[in-house]
Amino acid sequence: MTPSRSLPALGAPLLGRDDALAALSRAVGAGDARLVTVTGTVGVGKSFFALGALHALRADGTFATVRRCDASAVARADELEACVAHALGASEGAAGAAAATGATLLLLDDA
């Protein structure tokens, strides 16, 4: 597994989610929330919304690093650790070191 650490392009505008995007951006950007879970039924656009939020938070400069871990192929805990480490640009087992270099936002996505 060689997951990408870059953010994929949105491909389409994020429409009709301005209020939710603003609330998420405020919570994450202000540091009020260290973990945010986006929930909903299959196919409603959770991954697309989260990706749109990452693009917005990267654009406003709130975070030094914005990365995505595509965990869709992860089956075991050690694979998740490797996915996160790769997304952060760290060696396996050193994911915390990469996050300590600046304000980092990481999306764990299983789309």
Side-chain angles (χ1 to χ4, degrees), residues 6-99:
S6 62
L7 295 181
L10 282 177
L14 190 61
L15 300 174
R17 303 276 183 100
D18 293 342
D19 292 342
L21 183 58
L24 177 67
S25 295
R26 277 192 308 274
V28 173
D32 294 339
R34 293 183 55 106
L35 174 67
V36 175
T37 303
V38 178
T39 62
T41 57
V42 173
V44 298
K46 298 175 296 293
S47 292
F48 185 72
F49 171 73
L51 186 58
L54 261 65
H55 278 280
L57 288 163
R58 179 175 63 183
D60 76 10
T62 302
F63 294 90
T65 305
V66 178
R67 299 282 173 82
R68 175 178 173 261
C69 171
D70 178 2
S72 59
V74 169
R76 300 185 328 261
D78 62 324
E79 292 174 345
L80 180 59
E81 180 181 359
C83 182
V84 170
H86 179 78
L88 294 174
S91 61
E92 289 187 37

